[in-house]
């Protein structure tokens, strides 16, 4: 999606994260648009990207992030945050 690419590019340009990517499980049921990690500060942020801000559901994002952490074993001991991004954030 173009909007996801736009936000990823902005995050790369800011250089606030050591890793930026996305995730989906093997069944394709849980997709996380952007996962940012700052290994230096032990912080991770999960992002949901939607064209319209009112379509962002942070509770669903938290559930997907929980599945991500269970499956991957990543981010134990990290400060975790959840954010939504929309065209309003451009």
């Amino acid at each position: 999606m173009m909007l996801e690419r736009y936000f990823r590019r902005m995050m790369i340009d800011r250089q606030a994260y050591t890793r930026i990517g996305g995730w989906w499980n093997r069944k394709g049921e849980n997709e996380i648009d952007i996962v940012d990690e700052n290994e230096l500060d032990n912080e991770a942020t999960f992002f949901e990207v939607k064209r319209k801000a009112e379509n962002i559901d942070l509770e669903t994002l938290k559930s997907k992030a929980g599945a991500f952490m269970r499956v991957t074993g990543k981010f134990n001991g990290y400060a975790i945050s959840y954010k939504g991004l929309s065209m309003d954030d451009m």
Side-chain angles (χ1 to χ4, degrees), residues 13-30:
D13 290 347
R14 273 192 241 142
Q15 299 181 353
Y17 305 98
T18 55
R19 287 193 205 182
I20 299 171
W23 179 78
W24 53 94
N25 69 355
R26 292 182 181 182
K27 294 179 183 177
E29 296 164 349
N30 287 320

Side-chain angles (χ1 to χ4, degrees), residues 21-56:
W23 179 78
W24 53 94
N25 69 355
R26 292 182 181 182
K27 294 179 183 177
E29 296 164 349
N30 287 320
E31 178 188 355
I32 300 173
D33 297 324
I34 302 172
V35 180
D36 290 346
E37 178 182 12
N38 183 330
E39 296 165 294
L40 304 174
D41 296 328
N42 289 338
E43 297 175 342
T45 305
F46 293 89
F47 293 90
E48 181 171 319
V49 179
K50 298 286 186 192
R51 285 180 44 224
K52 295 181 179 184
E54 61 264 19
N55 292 336
I56 294 169

